[in-house]
Amino acid sequence: MANVSKKVSWSSRDEDSAQGEDTPLLNGASAVRYTRQFSGSSIFHIGRLSTVDLEEEHSEEEGAVLSRPKEIPHNEKLLSLKYEGLDYDNSENQLFLEEERRMSYMGFRCLEISRWVVCGLIGFLTGLIACFIDIVVENLAGVKYQVVKQNIEKYTEVGGLSISLILWAVLNSAFVIVGSVLVAFFEPIAAGSGIPQIKCYLNGVKIPRVVRLKTLMVKVGGVICSVAGGLAVGKEGPMIHSGAVVAAGVSQGRSTSLKKDFKIFEYFRRDTEKRDFVSAGAAAGVSAAFGAPVGGVLFSLEEGASFWNQMLTWRIFFASMMSTFTLNFFLSIYNEKPGDLSNPGLINFGRFDSDSVEYNLYEIPVFICMGAIGGLLGALFNVLNYWLTIFRIRYIHRPCLQVMEAMLVAAVTAAVSFTMIYFSNDCQPLGPDQSEEYPLQLFCDDGEYNSMATAFFNTPERSVRSLFHNPPGSYNPLTLGVFTLSYFFLACWTYGLTVSAGVFIPSLLIGAAWGRLFGILLATITSSGSIWADPGKYALIGAAAQLGGIVRMTLSLTVIMVEATGNVTYGLPIMLVLMTAKIVGDYFVEGLYDIHIKLQSVPFLHWEAPATSHSLTAREVMSSPVTCFSRIEKVGTIVDILSNTSTNHNGFPVVPRVSDDNEPGRICGLILRSQLIVLLKHKVFVERAQSRLQQRRLQLKDFRDAYPRFPPIQSIHVSQDERECMMDLTQFMNPTPYTVPQETSLPRVFKLFRALGLRHLVVIDHENRVVGLVTRKDLARYHLGKHGLEELQLAQT
Amino acid sequence: MANVSKKVSWSSRDEDSAQGEDTPLLNGASAVRYTRQFSGSSIFHIGRLSTVDLEEEHSEEEGAVLSRPKEIPHNEKLLSLKYEGLDYDNSENQLFLEEERRMSYMGFRCLEISRWVVCGLIGFLTGLIACFIDIVVENLAGVKYQVVKQNIEKYTEVGGLSISLILWAVLNSAFVIVGSVLVAFFEPIAAGSGIPQIKCYLNGVKIPRVVRLKTLMVKVGGVICSVAGGLAVGKEGPMIHSGAVVAAGVSQGRSTSLKKDFKIFEYFRRDTEKRDFVSAGAAAGVSAAFGAPVGGVLFSLEEGASFWNQMLTWRIFFASMMSTFTLNFFLSIYNEKPGDLSNPGLINFGRFDSDSVEYNLYEIPVFICMGAIGGLLGALFNVLNYWLTIFRIRYIHRPCLQVMEAMLVAAVTAAVSFTMIYFSNDCQPLGPDQSEEYPLQLFCDDGEYNSMATAFFNTPERSVRSLFHNPPGSYNPLTLGVFTLSYFFLACWTYGLTVSAGVFIPSLLIGAAWGRLFGILLATITSSGSIWADPGKYALIGAAAQLGGIVRMTLSLTVIMVEATGNVTYGLPIMLVLMTAKIVGDYFVEGLYDIHIKLQSVPFLHWEAPATSHSLTAREVMSSPVTCFSRIEKVGTIVDILSNTSTNHNGFPVVPRVSDDNEPGRICGLILRSQLIVLLKHKVFVERAQSRLQQRRLQLKDFRDAYPRFPPIQSIHVSQDERECMMDLTQFMNPTPYTVPQETSLPRVFKLFRALGLRHLVVIDHENRVVGLVTRKDLARYHLGKHGLEELQLAQT
């Protein structure tokens, strides 16, 4: 690795002065400054003494590595620069402070009440959407299965079941094509479950288009089609995304897409408030999907919260409760039992009887074993899906191809299902309390039905419930084994298709199948069948293990599972199982969502800085030199800097006066690109204010009106005369940005950054002069690899 | 109110220079500096322009107000200075960084694993303690009730029941005297439930002696005595305190009281780690008490977490699970059903059948009504208890008096109970599935029992369960009404006695009683009895409402109730009820724990700064002038400053050189009193290092060994020669303390302080010079009163 190549003009001088005066600490540290270019370079292992040089002319030996990013635009060793951070930290400029100080105590009370109203609305609308999806899917799937069932029954006698197969495959493909076209051509961000995207958003990364109305429309349409199309997917994951979009929309009191402004909730038009509401929306989504309001709150906190606030949590809980309640209420009306509120959630694990719920001490090792199996299978699933995703990124990036792949998967799913059912000879008697919706007789005797069909010829939600609750003996082990195997690969192939779909239900289904199999085998091996009598219990544990092995969620998933089961007795075993699955799975590969986040090269901040990163200081991680503005700056300079596409900075420290030789000035504020854009748009120039005294003073409202889609700098016309004007940034900049000295260790910088949800952190020297800027990318670059601390490369894509 | 009285010498100069150079913002703001004296003065209302002068000579007109604090040492308008903050923020000095950098990745893994081991141990031991308390209480109470019952049966026939009354009262008093003597004479901090103290600890306030072994012993002994003594108390609250003590002990790997050092977990000997473990301990306590592991986690987070960390949360959850599991397991062995793990927790609400669990939409307004009643009754309870506590603080502060009061309450409780039972003529038939432990026949016919006795002649836990589950018709309305009334006042009188006891169970019992009464009346009024058939459901809702009205916990209490019920269906109604109770209750008075915290004048930081505090800046809230040390400081100066009892500062900014005229220097570090004490103790003087080169270099271990009971400065002998030596603070100070500019608004300062759990926050001017220091007291002083922002006075007591 090359050594220090170039010091920016003033930085060496600064170091000298620091040594000379009162920072002898610097002598001991082997800190090295470097300028950074984003053209790409390889991954460096950072030791205490390593120095990094990212300038291309010095790294010819890394040419081979350098060329890789061109092959694979998405790579988990890259960090994309196209993602911006959210401004979770309020810019407390003069306008803001004046507004806050003007506001009376009653004003704050009203705000607080409107926050509650917004959360209630979010919950209500999310519940409604869940209800809509559920009813439409049930009906479409019902029609489909009825048609196919009649067809099969018709041809079972006379032969020619291949026609049924074709009918089934065509119906499935038709649904899936519609869903896939919607996603691929109209809104690609609506693909998948949306959970990785929402995780990123809650982490503080702005994912373009993720919380737009159009995304919601496509998501809802897409998920209906893909579930009705019989893919191995669930409708639960997308609910989380839907809830988030609802929250982002409702809380702003307007729709930019529909160009409709209701003139309400204007105070909430900033990232701080919006992100809080989006957490509530995500929680409401989880809550509607699983009937798990507490689980929803924990999901939001686990994924999003940097700072836990009691009132916020309580509001999130309210949104969650509202959404479960709404869904529950409308479904109860739809099911003609109005007012019966004891069946919350899109998926319902059914009621576990008190008798079957009990477990014994000696079962705990068995559960832990199952957790390990779940971890292994989950890791396998993730690795396969990872390869598949890499393949997709390389070769299947055109929408047409994506639609064709989705169609293919739909047809194959139907074909596999049909073949399985066809060759299965597991016939079970039709009981009096028949829980099967579409019992297929096929080649079974009268009064019997094909047991394989209960698993395949059904919506996945119903199949899960059957596996949990059907009495012992409903399935034979071979059926379960074959089903697990085939569904595993189908689900793995399906996740990542260009359709809206979740991975929760397929995971649960796979797990429930092998869990039940496990339970049956256990009862067979141990002759004392009565103890291990209930295979449904093992199905539940298996489902938890598999899901935990794939998504690696912890506390929130435990609570979600417990709430969906409706019985807290299983808390301990589920927790143990999830913990084991996570530990075993993490040994091999990360969770599915994290894999997809990494493949998108999102600068995602984890909870803590890598353990061994105390050797790094702010000086080493910061970006420098920093582009600063003078407190009173020439318009031309501002326009030029904002227009510079090669840097594309978003936050600019403000100093009293930028000197010509780029000497660092004392920090006196921080201003954002978005604020400058608004100022330019309104032409807030010193000369104008002097000439036209009646000109309206810019208010916070003007910034809010432009939020969140600030126009690009190119669309703002600045004449040659105006370029010579001056702009006074004093009342618009944040006069008290958070700063750290340059000797601060990386974990300390990280903690401050993460706890306060910052976007820019100014690094200062001992005289309060700006020497660098730490942004999200500077912190997300470092991660613990197999060989110690590794650094990701930055890419413009 | 008097105007600015005195500016510290340099502060006016600093203001001038700020105006002259680059902080024109200051011109607009009406900021005023003031020096502060802690002798006490009245409460000021702070407006945008008000200026505060706390010097006594200017406030003769407030003499009447000033004299009050002498009467009442504890006052909710005071903020005590005797409480120190915890150092949750790591002091990242050179020693620390060197240690961290030396540590390998495997070292961090081992640390992580030992954290898990500690959490497992915490859970296990907490579970064991809960188990011990439960078994001892059950047996003692069993013996007592058997003796009294036999006595009553003997005298019912022959007359002379007054002897039974005396027997009962004497037995109760005997138990209570033992418990009360333990608490009053040996460890007064063990009084009450300990929840307010743990709340404070988790909030970051060091409460003296609160997590010591002796406190645990007294707590356990005390709670056994007070529950066995038949007081209107529960054994659940104290479990939270017990868990916290266990955590603080186990995590340190040694006991200072027993002078035993196991030489393990040495890394955890600092406030940061200890506080995290104490959260786990508190959660384990809740979990053992209510069989509510998730509730426990949420309790810890709601009370303690400033920064939510996924791994920490997961560990806390593990501790919680372990504690429920341990308790469950050992109790199952004790109950001779080994391995049956479906009965977690000290209190168990019993199993609500699936049928009785359902509720209907039209019941929700009824539930909300009950929530409002709970809020009102809770507020009444709190107000009465507040007055009582004030009375106790004024007049009952001698241990003997405290023991006598406890004895009196015990006797009165027995007398009231006996009278109630005696005059009740509510006889119920003894059913075949008799759930009563000690059915008293008294004057009832054969085959019947006195229904009032089920409520009074029983441990409160059993009474709660009877109210939830006894079939409709087990109680007549009059019994319930009289019981509610008498128990309400008894419980209110009991809370705050000098005994270890919790308020959860009495609250639940009061609520369950009036809730059941409410249900019965509802069924009577509406002729359609079948709909409102189950009074047990209303008992549950009433219990939630009453408890919520008293303690005002929100999310965590919902989850605790749901987990204790074992059924998630009641989630929504319980949440609505708790929310209503909180809103209604907060209108009148704060929660019980908050009242007691305020009466102790603890500088407790809430989640956010008061809404209207944007008008204040760091300049106005900070303490100044600040005592700074030079980087190389004379030992004599350090000893003198540390010995100054009138200031008693704990954190000292370090500047290159303190000038004689007290001109502020540039911040280059922060050093704590505890660090200085250790340095003085080891005589780490520059001269010594030069003369004896072989002298061992001070290591982090030396600081850890002294933690947490650093000796007072008076115990360290420094000779006159040594006073002339110099100390080099460079490698011991934290070189990168968090700083804020003096224009930072209070909410912004507050957020930084709270999110990072700081103890000292240095306020700097634009040239990075120390101008002030913000500590916990400076922030906790401000709160929203009836007339806007109010400021509490500071008191040395």
Side-chain angles (χ1 to χ4, degrees), chain B residues 46-291:
Chain B
I46 297 179
R48 172 103 174 74
L49 289 166
S50 78
T51 54
V52 184
D53 166 33
L54 298 182
E55 301 207 22
E56 240 170 334
E57 63 268 33
H58 286 258
S59 48
E60 293 94 345
E61 76 277 19
E62 288 149 9
V65 185
L66 277 172
S67 61
R68 259 184 62 207
K70 279 153 207 158
E71 274 179 358
I72 315 167
H74 298 293
N75 186 316
E76 77 278 19
K77 296 287 186 198
L78 280 175
L79 212 54
S80 169
L81 290 174
K82 77 176 173 188
Y83 295 106
E84 296 302 331
L86 293 173
D87 288 307
Y88 194 65
D89 182 43
N90 272 331
S91 174
E92 293 205 340
N93 56 22
Q94 273 186 41
L95 300 181
F96 176 82
L97 287 175
E98 278 166 23
E99 193 188 84
E100 293 283 317
R101 283 168 192 166
R102 256 201 316 274
M103 213 185 293
S104 67
Y105 180 59
M106 276 316 293
F108 284 105
R109 294 290 288 202
C110 289
L111 265 186
E112 192 61 22
I113 291 170
S114 46
R115 284 200 190 98
W116 281 92
V117 171
V118 170
C119 281
L121 272 175
I122 291 169
F124 179 73
L125 290 176
T126 308
L128 272 192
I129 289 174
C131 193
F132 172 75
I133 292 178
D134 195 50
I135 292 175
V136 173
V137 164
E138 284 292 310
N139 284 316
L140 282 183
V143 169
K144 187 188 82 176
Y145 285 121
Q146 282 304 340
V147 168
V148 175
K149 188 180 174 217
Q150 280 161 15
N151 190 284
I152 289 178
E153 275 162 5
K154 193 169 120 198
Y155 286 105
T156 311
E157 305 282 308
V158 301
L161 272 173
S162 51
I163 295 173
S164 305
L165 166 61
I166 291 168
L167 174 71
W168 192 1
V170 166
L171 275 178
N172 272 6
S173 301
F175 278 121
V176 170
I177 285 176
V178 175
S180 184
V181 163
L182 269 177
V183 172
F185 288 96
F186 291 94
E187 194 55 279
I189 197 83
S193 71
I195 296 182
Q197 284 87 343
I198 297 304
K199 264 183 92 153
C200 291
Y201 189 92
L202 294 180
N203 192 260
V205 183
K206 204 180 274 169
I207 307 280
R209 314 180 62 78
V210 78
V211 288
R212 296 222 181 150
L213 187 62
K214 191 172 155 197
T215 310
L216 176 64
M217 301 291 195
V218 171
K219 194 111 211 169
V220 170
V223 78
I224 289 173
C225 291
S226 49
V227 177
L231 289 179
V233 299
K235 56 190 185 296
E236 280 66 19
M239 274 316 300
I240 297 166
H241 192 170
S242 305
V245 181
V246 167
V250 169
S251 65
Q252 303 299 298
R254 69 173 166 193
S255 162
T256 323
S257 310
L258 300 181
K259 301 213 174 19
K260 181 127 193 75
D261 190 340
F262 295 98
K263 306 272 180 203
I264 46 172
F265 308 142
E266 289 178 336
Y267 188 85
F268 302 145
R269 292 177 189 172
R270 48 189 161 123
D271 282 344
T272 319
E273 299 278 350
K274 194 167 165 183
R275 183 177 136 188
D276 285 350
F277 286 118
V278 169
S279 336
V286 174
S287 171
F290 302 96

Side-chain angles (χ1 to χ4, degrees), chain B residues 696-710:
Chain B
R696 187 177 68 87
R697 215 182 134 221
L698 213 60
Q699 287 183 320
L700 220 48
K701 190 180 174 308
D702 300 301
F703 292 92
R704 283 183 189 143
D705 285 344
Y707 177 84
R709 302 193 197 170
F710 297 103

